[in-house]
Amino acid sequence: MSDNLRTRFLSTSLIVGFFLLWEVLCIILNVSDLVLPRPSEILVTMYNRFPVLWPHILQTLSTTLIGFAFGVTIGVALGVIVGTSKVAYAVAYPLLVGFSSIPKVAVVPIFVLWFGSGTTPAILTAMVICVFPIVVNIATGLATTEPELEDVLKTMGASRSEILWNVGLPRAMPYFFASLKVAITLSFVGAVLSETVASNMGIGFVMMTASSNFQVSLVFAGLILLALMGVILYAIFSLLERRITGWATRGNDIAIT
Amino acid sequence: MSDNLRTRFLSTSLIVGFFLLWEVLCIILNVSDLVLPRPSEILVTMYNRFPVLWPHILQTLSTTLIGFAFGVTIGVALGVIVGTSKVAYAVAYPLLVGFSSIPKVAVVPIFVLWFGSGTTPAILTAMVICVFPIVVNIATGLATTEPELEDVLKTMGASRSEILWNVGLPRAMPYFFASLKVAITLSFVGAVLSETVASNMGIGFVMMTASSNFQVSLVFAGLILLALMGVILYAIFSLLERRITGWATRGNDIAIT
Amino acid sequence: MNMTSNIPAPTLPIATPETTPASVRARSAIELQAASVVFGTGETAVTALSPTTLKMASGEFLALVGPSGCGKSTILKLVSNLIRPSAGVVLVGGREAAARKLRIGMAFQNPTMLPWLTIEQNVMMPLKIVEPFKRSYRQDKKGAFRDRVHALLKQVGLGDFANHFPWQLSGGMLQRSNLCRALIHEPDLLLLDEPFGALDQFTREELWQIMQDLYLDRAPTVLLVTHDLREAGFLASRICVMSARPGRVISDEPVTLPQPRDIATIYSPEFVEMTQNLREMIAQARSS
Amino acid sequence: MNMTSNIPAPTLPIATPETTPASVRARSAIELQAASVVFGTGETAVTALSPTTLKMASGEFLALVGPSGCGKSTILKLVSNLIRPSAGVVLVGGREAAARKLRIGMAFQNPTMLPWLTIEQNVMMPLKIVEPFKRSYRQDKKGAFRDRVHALLKQVGLGDFANHFPWQLSGGMLQRSNLCRALIHEPDLLLLDEPFGALDQFTREELWQIMQDLYLDRAPTVLLVTHDLREAGFLASRICVMSARPGRVISDEPVTLPQPRDIATIYSPEFVEMTQNLREMIAQARSS
Amino acid sequence: TDIRFTLGWKTQGSDAPFLVALNKGYFEEEGLNVTIDQGEGSAATITRIMGGAYDAGFGDINAIIQNAAARPGEAPVMVFQMWNRPPFAIAVSKESGITKPKDLEGLTLGGAQGTPTTRLFPVFARLNDIDIDTVAYESLAPNLQEPMLIRGDIDGAYTFTVSSWFNLIANRKDPAKDFTWLNYEDYGMDLYSNGMMVSRALLTENPDAVAGLVRAVTKATMEITKDQDVAVEAIVAFDNLVDPELERARLEFALTKLMNHSETAETGIGGLVEARLARSIDLIVEGYGLEATPAASEIFDGSFLPPVAERTLDVALN
Ligand SMILES: Nc1ncnc2c1ncn2[C@@H]1O[C@H](COP(=O)(O)OP(=O)(O)OP(=O)(O)O)[C@@H](O)[C@H]1O
Ligand SMILES: Nc1ncnc2c1ncn2[C@@H]1O[C@H](COP(=O)(O)OP(=O)(O)OP(=O)(O)O)[C@@H](O)[C@H]1O
Ligand SMILES: [Mg+2]
Ligand SMILES: [Mg+2]
């Protein structure tokens, strides 16, 4: 317990320290606030402009989450297919790798042309950008499942889908949660990207407007808000992860008296 | 063997089919080549402009690879720290997640202002963008290492670093290779991104020029080239992966006579 | 631990086909016809099993003994259809690869409990997967199933550990839960790979009793791999001895002692003689 | 399999301290002072080991027997410093947690070979990690080490499997390589957790011989967990019996038979009497 | 009728005509349901319209010319020429001592590739006898232009005055005092620039809608020449993130420096002089080495404009 508290204290102070360092370095190195504003300035801006920012935050958060939810669903489904079928592996991987190597900025305009500007392309972008890491990790998790564990169910006459549900997927959970952390950050990037290209709402829009007018500290307020949202979602996944994959990260829990 | 050949044939034809479908859909739906050129047009453009494109390909490939190499090194190092220390886990994860949720487009200008335009910011962007997935997967791989395997080395009086080298890292290899696939695609995206923001070389620059001259099929030629480079690197990693993590994806190899 | 050998085989608190019909029973006859297994190819090829022919009637209790690495586990995997023979034929109930349709209970040599499930959930797994239990499982009879699992766990002395995870158990405890998982769904065909190896003599003898009661009660076909000749003699109706790798069956003898047997039997002269004979046979096979 | 018990303990083809100095030897004395282990907290807490006091002199060969789940493996883990006692003290060579400095050879109950290494590489691991071998390993004496590993593997009948991966071995073969890994670096303290459990009687007896030769030759301190009373009697210089969980040592007797012993000894009347006595003691402990 | 309308760039004071028309319901009065989105550059407006995502927009006439040459019959058509003077200029610091185009030789100029200023530089160079091979180019994102110019990373920037002027102010510089502006307009490139254009499809299928658009925009334009408060109100209503004072200044800049060509007296705002357009077309065709020379009628269609009397420019700043 006290160990736990110490960890928390240390980590909080280190994170606070990070921002302090940023502040101090900016002052010492005399960094122009047009290049990199100090955290304190950003905070002030964020506070002052919060009423204006709020609807944009909601917009970005909701498009991101919707896109992310779709992305995770598709990613898991594709991951299962890729992880279990050799042909799917050989087909899907090159296509997915190829597609992922393309900057999504180039894809968003196409979405805009097909679906108009605004929320739809943002959701789509948030979705497509987060699929790949999930596919890779689910597929790897399934492919590295110990055959011995699958054998247990095979002898019971389990069908392929039963083996998948009872062995493959639970076994792949640590991989899955690892990929979620990457995927959610990508989803935010995707949604914001699409907003910068074509939308009149969202943090991406705010940042674009702000940066075209050189309101640098507003740009950074947007960035910090994005980071915060990412961290909050990460925290939620972490909780889930601890509950679900505790078996994989177990240690000895000896009671010392 | 013949099974292997069939897989290869099927997958190749499916991939070819994908491009055919694209071609046919473009014709049927009468998609303007300003929106989405047909693969055949792209191919022709690529062929015609290849001498011009070649130095740009080399530029993007080399900046990406350099950035990627740095990124992997840093990612593995950070991943090891995060995966083995509770405090590092609690500090580094929120910061990394926050940073990763930020679109890199917003960061590149800062790099440019600090390091000038051209190759350096491209390498840096390719680097920072690919660190996170590697950190996550290495850390997860280490955290999920079976304590029994570590115990083997502990009883031998192995130091923490020996345990890391002989148990943790080999155990984390499947995770590592999974993250490499994601990381290399992100590196390409990062390098190209930086090239579009400030550079006079590279595929990103070509795409920028092409799109401002309304040469859409040249833009897509650039995209396809990026995808191709991604796929080739993926293939190389796949080979390595098969050699190194074969133990994790083993199956029964019974000789049927 | 409150383990007495008088506890009857686990009573089934829910309606399931208690007695398997004869037609199904006949299906659990086993036949290996010159079945051999070779792992790998080229230089690294390992012959795990020489062409082996072996027949088992339904309801037989066969013990398989033989030196380490001779292919005993391989035979079990062949019968359970986990692997296919490189050559030859494996028939279960007269058909190839028919094992799929059969209710099989398999205790692996290395207890492979699923690490994300508690012992209770692990032992419950066959009830979730195997018909006809599967159906009732879906109909949310989980409460009844849980009672059944707990009863069985209690019988093997793991009553307090139902909610523990596999890595919280000792080696012997794991092996016992492994056995429970093989028995819980009252299989027609039991494949047991050294199920008592990691247990002390007393626990082992108690489980022998449970095993024997269960066999006499339900008469499944049982294939037991063991290194303990007394175990083989106590439980089996027939003992097969295998030669060293690549293995073949070199001796195939019925155990004539009447069943049920009790622990005292193993100190009887006939029993000692029988095990001595087996011992010698194995010794000969080794030196050849 | 070409296994004869006359083969001497593996000869060391390279210069290493063949005889450990007495000062180091004294370090391998073991003492548990009211050491207890409780896993978990609150309702799910499991007492794995009651406060246990146990002393072992350097060079002693102690066999630990007791019912499944009584805490035998836990004691080995305490001694090897893998876990700390919840209460009490564990001293090795008179110091707490001193095991780190000692050359320990441990054979885990569940053979935990690293799956990405071949058997040869797995067995070689201690030579890569433990001083003074580590130094020579870096100096690229790997060739000599490889010979050494091969010699040992051959001795236990695994000569052909050096380049196989763990999952390509049978249960008994894995256990043998597990033993090799514990022996290869000539440890001062040997902790063996049922190292012969998955082996047939003959292979087992051969390994007993090898074990005994090694013990008489180098006189390491050995702590052997076993369920086989004959094994305990044949090998050990002292036998401790533990009660059921949470375990305590309930009997602690020296084995007076002269060493070396041969397989015939286990059929001698004194030996049979001794094992019978032990049996009864355990039986009593169980029912209490 | 639904009209999707794209601006030339992010919300700026100079977009006021459209935003006022939207805010005050002038489009609705014409029976038009207009949605306005931000743009990606005044050239991208053309692509967006040609791709079919937008029906109308605020963009650069020179980009129309270029596209009309390459794809006759597909390019959008200008129906209201808002800016009759070009905002294209090269900005260099006063300290550099540069006063004329020829001085640019041997220097490094930076700018976004999409900006007409960048893309028209070869024409500018030829007209002013600059050896273009000696001028290095640095491709930069728009938001890097001014910072890099200020830091001296580039010697000069290809600017869009109406943006750059105010970006420099935001960067705490005085654009008039600290910088020299080589306006293309002053060196032989008397081009038209941004205006409202519509897609070919809209033009042919729904000319009434186009007429409505033009009427509404004209009305709004005339209104803001007199009353910039209305404009600022509309801008903030559209995008509450902008700095109202800055955008007011930007609007005034547009009114006084981009919309006040002397010819306006006869053409009125929104119209143009065909001869001047023809000259522009020749310049562009020559500058880009285009294969065809589009007719002026293919570029501009003034038939929807209300009578000149209703479009007389008389700017009054308040
Ligand atoms: N997956 C595999 N790949 C390659 N070889 C294998 C594999 N599984 C088993 N073998 C080999 O097959 C042979 C027989 O193995 P098997 O597990 O059947 O032995 P066993 O009789 O069960 O021995 P034990 O009593 O030691 O468990 C062994 O030599 C082993 O090395
Ligand atoms: N990591 C752990 N977490 C919780 N409980 C544990 C853990 N390890 C062991 N135990 C408990 O400690 C007790 C003693 O375990 P131990 O492994 O020492 O038994 P053992 O004497 O070796 O038994 P066996 O002969 O079956 O191997 C058991 O009841 C077991 O459930
Ligand atoms: Mg076996
Ligand atoms: Mg144990």
Side-chain angles (χ1 to χ4, degrees):
Chain A
M1 267 298 131
S2 85
D3 212 48
N4 213 324
L5 245 153
R6 227 188 46 196
T7 306
R8 227 177 248 188
F9 175 76
L10 244 173
S11 53
T12 314
S13 52
L14 273 171
I15 290 179
V16 171
F18 168 81
F19 285 98
L20 277 182
L21 190 78
W22 172 355
E23 180 91 26
V24 169
L25 276 183
C26 279
I27 295 173
I28 292 178
L29 299 179
N30 202 7
V31 179
S32 158
D33 59 344
L34 291 168
V35 176
L36 182 66
R38 283 175 283 124
S40 56
E41 290 175 297
I42 298 172
L43 220 68
V44 169
T45 310
M46 212 184 314
Y47 181 81
N48 290 337
R49 309 295 292 269
F50 196 76
V52 178
L53 287 171
W54 183 235
H56 296 285
I57 295 175
L58 286 185
Q59 167 76 13
T60 298
L61 192 62
S62 59
T63 50
T64 302
L65 285 183
I66 296 171
F68 178 69
F70 280 114
V72 171
T73 315
I74 295 173
V76 172
L78 263 181
V80 166
I81 297 171
V82 169
T84 49
S85 145
K86 270 197 185 173
V87 175
Y89 188 99
V91 176
Y93 253 132
L95 288 180
L96 282 171
V97 170
F99 182 71
S100 303
S101 304
I102 292 174
K104 293 302 159 296
V105 211
V107 182
V108 177
I110 299 179
F111 287 160
V112 173
L113 291 180
W114 284 342
F115 305 102
S117 77
T119 308
T120 319
I123 290 176
L124 277 176
T125 316
M127 181 183 98
V128 298
I129 206 172
C130 81
V131 166
F132 186 55
I134 297 175
V135 172
V136 170
N137 268 23
I138 289 273
T140 308
L142 290 179
T144 57
T145 303
E146 292 82 358
E148 290 79 16
L149 297 184
E150 291 180 349
D151 282 354
V152 170
L153 264 87
K154 276 190 198 157
T155 56
M156 296 175 195
S159 64
R160 274 168 69 102
S161 76
E162 279 172 330
I163 295 177
L164 183 71
W165 278 107
N166 290 293
V167 180
L169 287 180
R171 198 0 263 256
M173 276 302 117
Y175 279 88
F176 175 63
F177 277 101
S179 72
L180 279 193
K181 291 173 197 161
V182 176
I184 187 66
T185 66
L186 287 178
S187 273
F188 272 111
V189 171
V192 169
L193 196 78
S194 172
E195 286 164 0
T196 60
V197 173
S199 174
N200 299 324
M201 276 296 276
I203 302 277
F205 168 81
V206 171
M207 281 169 37
M208 233 18 216
T209 306
S211 93
S212 71
N213 291 324
F214 282 91
Q215 306 179 343
V216 183
S217 68
L218 185 55
V219 174
F220 274 80
L223 292 180
I224 296 283
L225 282 173
L226 280 176
L228 267 181
M229 288 193 271
V231 171
I232 289 169
L233 284 172
Y234 154 75
I236 294 171
F237 297 146
S238 272
L239 278 181
L240 272 179
E241 182 182 25
R242 221 172 301 161
R243 302 204 108 221
I244 294 177
T245 73
W247 59 270
T249 53
R250 67 204 150 86
N252 277 324
D253 55 345
I254 297 165
I256 306 273
T257 48
Chain B
M1 266 300 132
S2 83
D3 213 48
N4 214 325
L5 246 152
R6 227 188 47 195
T7 306
R8 228 177 247 187
F9 175 76
L10 245 172
S11 53
T12 314
S13 52
L14 273 170
I15 291 179
V16 171
F18 168 81
F19 285 97
L20 277 181
L21 190 77
W22 172 357
E23 180 91 26
V24 168
L25 276 182
C26 278
I27 295 173
I28 291 179
L29 300 179
N30 201 6
V31 179
S32 156
D33 60 347
L34 274 177
V35 176
L36 183 66
R38 283 174 283 123
S40 55
E41 290 176 294
I42 299 172
L43 219 69
V44 169
T45 309
M46 212 184 313
Y47 181 80
N48 289 337
R49 310 293 292 268
F50 196 77
V52 179
L53 287 170
W54 184 236
H56 295 286
I57 295 175
L58 287 184
Q59 166 76 10
T60 299
L61 192 63
S62 59
T63 50
T64 302
L65 285 182
I66 296 172
F68 178 69
F70 280 116
V72 170
T73 314
I74 295 172
V76 171
L78 263 179
V80 166
I81 296 171
V82 169
T84 49
S85 146
K86 270 196 185 173
V87 175
Y89 187 98
V91 175
Y93 254 132
L95 289 179
L96 282 172
V97 170
F99 182 71
S100 303
S101 305
I102 293 175
K104 293 303 160 296
V105 211
V107 182
V108 177
I110 301 181
F111 287 161
V112 173
L113 289 178
W114 283 343
F115 304 103
S117 77
T119 308
T120 318
I123 290 177
L124 277 176
T125 316
M127 180 182 97
V128 299
I129 206 172
C130 80
V131 166
F132 186 55
I134 298 175
V135 172
V136 170
N137 269 23
I138 288 275
T140 308
L142 289 178
T144 57
T145 302
E146 292 83 357
E148 290 80 15
L149 296 184
E150 290 180 350
D151 283 355
V152 171
L153 264 87
K154 276 189 197 157
T155 56
M156 295 176 196
S159 64
R160 275 169 68 102
S161 75
E162 280 172 329
I163 294 176
L164 183 70
W165 278 107
N166 290 292
V167 180
L169 287 180
R171 201 355 265 255
M173 276 302 116
Y175 280 88
F176 176 63
F177 277 101
S179 71
L180 279 194
K181 291 173 198 163
V182 176
I184 187 66
T185 66
L186 287 177
S187 273
F188 272 111
V189 171
V192 170
L193 195 78
S194 173
E195 286 164 1
T196 60
V197 171
S199 175
N200 296 327
M201 277 295 277
I203 302 279
F205 170 79
V206 171
M207 282 168 42
M208 242 1 227
T209 311
S211 90
S212 66
N213 287 321
F214 311 104
Q215 302 173 324
V216 183
S217 69
L218 185 54
V219 174
F220 274 79
L223 293 180
I224 296 283
L225 282 173
L226 280 176
L228 266 181
M229 286 192 272
V231 171
I232 289 169
L233 283 172
Y234 154 76
I236 293 171
F237 297 146
S238 272
L239 277 180
L240 272 179
E241 183 181 26
R242 221 171 300 161
R243 302 205 106 221
I244 294 177
T245 73
W247 59 272
T249 53
R250 67 203 149 87
N252 277 324
D253 54 343
I254 297 166
I256 307 273
T257 47
Chain C
M1 272 186 294
N2 190 8
M3 272 167 67
T4 43
S5 50
N6 313 353
I7 296 180
T11 46
L12 308 179
I14 48 163
T16 53
E18 295 266 337
T19 45
T20 322
S23 59
V24 173
R25 274 306 198 48
R27 279 173 25 193
S28 58
I30 295 171
E31 196 172 342
L32 272 72
Q33 294 173 355
S36 67
V37 175
V38 179
F39 285 102
T41 46
E43 266 186 57
T44 58
V46 173
T47 307
L49 191 68
S50 291
T52 298
T53 300
L54 183 70
K55 266 194 183 182
M56 264 180 87
S58 261
E60 227 179 343
F61 195 132
L62 188 142
L64 205 55
V65 299
S68 172
C70 72
K72 302 181 294 298
S73 302
T74 304
I75 287 185
L76 292 199
K77 284 185 191 158
L78 277 176
V79 171
S80 65
N81 200 32
L82 282 179
I83 59 175
R84 304 263 190 86
S86 301
V89 182
V90 177
L91 302 177
V92 176
R95 285 192 293 147
E96 253 182 294
R100 287 171 213 252
K101 310 267 161 228
L102 216 66
R103 250 199 271 165
I104 294 185
M106 182 145 177
F108 290 86
Q109 186 167 13
N110 202 356
T112 43
M113 296 282 124
L114 304 181
W116 49 87
L117 299 180
T118 62
I119 295 302
E120 175 188 301
Q121 292 166 327
N122 263 295
V123 174
M124 189 103 74
M125 190 54 81
L127 303 180
K128 203 170 153 188
I129 302 292
V130 179
E131 293 287 7
F133 304 95
K134 189 173 168 178
R135 231 168 302 149
S136 336
Y137 193 89
R138 290 222 188 104
Q139 287 157 19
D140 209 29
K141 290 265 173 71
K142 285 175 210 173
F145 281 162
R146 187 165 302 135
D147 293 343
R148 183 187 172 120
V149 168
H150 279 255
L152 187 58
L153 283 176
K154 204 163 182 177
Q155 229 185 345
V156 301
L158 291 177
D160 298 343
F161 289 86
N163 293 318
H164 280 62
F165 283 91
W167 42 275
Q168 297 177 315
L169 264 58
S170 79
M173 291 160 113
L174 268 184
Q175 210 172 29
R176 280 180 272 161
S177 30
N178 196 28
L179 184 67
C180 289
R181 189 174 57 189
L183 298 179
I184 191 72
H185 56 303
E186 305 195 316
D188 307 315
L189 176 56
L190 258 175
L191 303 172
L192 306 175
D193 204 343
E194 296 183 45
F196 314 112
L199 299 172
D200 61 292
Q201 195 56 36
F202 289 95
T203 313
R204 192 180 292 205
E205 283 167 11
E206 278 170 359
L207 292 182
W208 287 356
Q209 298 275 12
I210 296 175
M211 200 57 229
Q212 174 167 279
D213 292 349
L214 191 145
Y215 174 64
L216 293 178
D217 185 42
R218 302 199 58 253
T221 311
V222 187
L223 191 46
L224 168 77
V225 171
T226 182
H227 288 310
D228 187 338
L229 295 181
R230 292 192 293 181
E231 183 170 303
F234 180 81
L235 285 172
S237 52
R238 193 173 138 205
I239 299 179
C240 285
V241 179
M242 291 184 68
S243 69
R245 187 178 65 82
R248 277 169 313 112
V249 177
I250 51 169
S251 146
D252 188 343
E253 300 281 339
V255 181
T256 49
L257 298 168
Q259 286 183 303
R261 302 160 194 160
D262 63 15
I263 295 292
T265 318
I266 61 179
Y267 299 105
S268 72
E270 303 108 286
F271 195 95
V272 172
E273 199 197 309
M274 181 181 72
T275 51
Q276 288 294 0
N277 282 346
L278 281 171
R279 240 188 104 84
E280 252 154 55
M281 198 131 49
I282 301 174
Q284 265 171 29
R286 281 175 60 80
S287 57
S288 70
Chain D
M1 273 187 292
N2 191 7
M3 273 165 67
T4 42
S5 50
N6 314 352
I7 296 181
T11 46
L12 308 179
I14 49 161
T16 53
E18 296 265 337
T19 44
T20 322
S23 59
V24 173
R25 275 306 198 49
R27 278 173 26 195
S28 58
I30 296 171
E31 197 172 343
L32 271 72
Q33 295 173 354
S36 68
V37 175
V38 179
F39 284 103
T41 46
E43 267 185 59
T44 57
V46 173
T47 307
L49 191 67
S50 291
T52 298
T53 300
L54 183 71
K55 266 193 183 183
M56 262 180 87
S58 260
E60 227 179 340
F61 194 133
L62 189 143
L64 205 55
V65 299
S68 173
C70 72
K72 304 180 294 296
S73 303
T74 303
I75 288 184
L76 292 198
K77 283 185 190 159
L78 277 175
V79 171
S80 64
N81 201 34
L82 282 179
I83 58 175
R84 304 265 189 86
S86 300
V89 183
V90 177
L91 302 178
V92 177
R95 285 192 292 147
E96 254 183 292
R100 287 171 213 253
K101 309 267 161 227
L102 217 64
R103 249 199 271 166
I104 294 186
M106 183 147 177
F108 290 87
Q109 187 167 11
N110 201 355
T112 44
M113 296 283 124
L114 303 180
W116 50 87
L117 299 180
T118 61
I119 296 302
E120 175 188 303
Q121 291 165 327
N122 264 295
V123 174
M124 188 102 75
M125 190 55 80
L127 302 181
K128 202 170 154 187
I129 302 292
V130 179
E131 292 286 7
F133 303 95
K134 188 174 170 177
R135 229 168 304 150
S136 336
Y137 192 88
R138 289 220 189 104
Q139 286 156 19
D140 210 30
K141 290 269 173 70
K142 285 174 209 174
F145 281 162
R146 188 164 302 136
D147 292 344
R148 184 186 173 119
V149 168
H150 279 254
L152 187 57
L153 284 176
K154 202 160 185 183
Q155 230 184 345
V156 302
L158 292 176
D160 298 344
F161 289 86
N163 292 320
H164 281 61
F165 283 91
W167 42 277
Q168 297 177 316
L169 263 58
S170 79
M173 291 160 115
L174 268 183
Q175 210 174 28
R176 281 180 271 161
S177 31
N178 196 29
L179 184 68
C180 289
R181 188 174 58 187
L183 298 179
I184 190 74
H185 55 302
E186 306 195 316
D188 306 316
L189 175 56
L190 258 176
L191 304 171
L192 306 175
D193 203 344
E194 295 183 47
F196 313 113
L199 298 172
D200 62 293
Q201 194 57 35
F202 288 96
T203 313
R204 193 181 290 206
E205 283 168 13
E206 277 171 359
L207 293 182
W208 289 355
Q209 298 276 13
I210 295 177
M211 201 56 230
Q212 173 167 279
D213 292 349
L214 191 144
Y215 174 64
L216 293 178
D217 185 41
R218 302 199 61 252
T221 310
V222 186
L223 191 46
L224 169 77
V225 171
T226 182
H227 288 310
D228 187 337
L229 295 181
R230 290 191 294 182
E231 183 169 303
F234 181 79
L235 285 171
S237 51
R238 194 174 137 204
I239 299 179
C240 284
V241 179
M242 292 184 68
S243 69
R245 189 178 63 84
R248 277 167 314 112
V249 176
I250 50 169
S251 147
D252 187 343
E253 300 281 339
V255 181
T256 48
L257 298 166
Q259 284 182 302
R261 301 159 195 162
D262 63 15
I263 295 292
T265 317
I266 61 180
Y267 300 105
S268 72
E270 305 107 285
F271 195 96
V272 172
E273 200 198 309
M274 180 181 71
T275 51
Q276 289 292 1
N277 283 346
L278 281 170
R279 240 189 105 84
E280 253 153 57
M281 199 132 48
I282 301 173
Q284 267 170 27
R286 283 174 59 81
S287 56
S288 68
Chain E
T1 322
D2 290 333
I3 303 282
R4 290 161 300 166
F5 189 98
T6 173
L7 296 177
W9 187 233
K10 312 307 153 190
T11 323
Q12 296 195 324
S14 44
D15 297 320
F18 314 106
L19 301 178
V20 167
L22 181 73
N23 194 39
K24 300 198 84 178
Y26 299 162
F27 288 133
E28 265 169 62
E29 284 168 20
E30 302 289 346
L32 301 173
N33 176 25
V34 176
T35 46
I36 298 185
D37 288 332
Q38 298 200 332
E40 292 172 86
S42 54
T45 300
I46 285 84
T47 339
R48 283 183 161 198
I49 294 174
M50 284 173 75
Y54 291 88
D55 306 305
F58 185 53
D60 183 21
I61 196 169
N62 303 297
I64 301 184
I65 297 170
Q66 196 187 347
N67 274 287
R71 299 160 183 270
E74 282 183 46
V77 178
M78 186 68 82
V79 291
F80 189 98
Q81 186 60 47
M82 186 73 74
W83 297 349
N84 39 40
R85 296 175 58 190
F88 316 142
I90 292 167
V92 293
S93 72
K94 273 261 158 66
E95 294 153 25
S96 67
I98 294 163
T99 51
K100 55 184 192 301
K102 188 77 179 156
D103 296 345
L104 295 172
E105 285 185 352
L107 301 184
T108 301
L109 305 183
Q113 301 199 48
T115 323
T117 318
T118 310
R119 302 173 56 234
L120 290 168
F121 182 69
V123 185
F124 178 81
R126 206 156 28 73
L127 290 176
N128 293 284
D129 196 25
I130 301 170
D131 180 1
I132 196 159
D133 294 332
T134 65
V135 182
Y137 171 61
E138 192 82 61
S139 166
L140 292 174
N143 61 346
L144 276 171
Q145 246 170 233
E146 290 82 14
M148 290 190 74
L149 177 63
I150 292 167
R151 289 161 53 106
D153 292 334
I154 50 175
D155 302 311
Y158 296 111
T159 63
F160 210 68
T161 50
V162 68
S163 295
S164 267
W165 188 273
F166 297 95
N167 289 347
L168 286 168
I169 293 174
N171 279 284
R172 299 183 202 116
K173 292 283 168 184
D174 184 335
K177 261 206 343 240
D178 299 341
F179 295 91
T180 306
W181 303 81
L182 303 175
N183 287 305
Y184 281 20
E185 188 183 22
D186 302 336
Y187 295 97
M189 297 182 73
D190 184 21
L191 301 169
Y192 288 102
S193 58
N194 281 15
M196 180 168 72
M197 57 186 74
V198 297
S199 69
R200 280 264 165 203
L202 190 70
L203 193 71
T204 50
E205 285 160 23
N206 200 343
D208 291 347
V210 178
L213 268 179
V214 174
R215 268 195 303 275
V217 169
T218 309
K219 188 173 173 190
T221 308
M222 295 318 291
E223 197 171 335
I224 58 170
T225 56
K226 295 272 176 295
D227 184 0
Q228 290 87 45
D229 291 339
V230 181
V232 171
E233 194 181 303
I235 293 162
V236 174
F238 180 72
D239 182 351
N240 57 6
L241 291 159
V242 298
D243 175 353
E245 286 317 304
L246 180 81
E247 297 313 330
R248 175 192 292 270
R250 207 193 299 270
L251 172 59
E252 289 169 0
F253 185 99
L255 288 171
T256 56
K257 296 211 163 94
L258 300 175
M259 294 163 69
N260 63 339
H261 195 276
S262 52
E263 75 185 23
T264 323
E266 42 183 293
T267 62
I269 190 71
L272 50 67
V273 176
E274 291 249 347
R276 192 177 148 209
L277 176 60
R279 255 200 335 271
S280 298
I281 293 174
D282 289 340
L283 265 181
I284 302 291
V285 168
E286 206 186 328
Y288 291 127
L290 301 178
E291 285 166 10
T293 307
S297 62
E298 216 183 315
I299 308 299
F300 179 80
D301 185 344
S303 61
F304 299 97
L305 291 168
V308 175
E310 295 172 27
R311 299 184 280 113
T312 320
L313 196 68
D314 180 14
V315 177
L317 301 183
N318 54 356

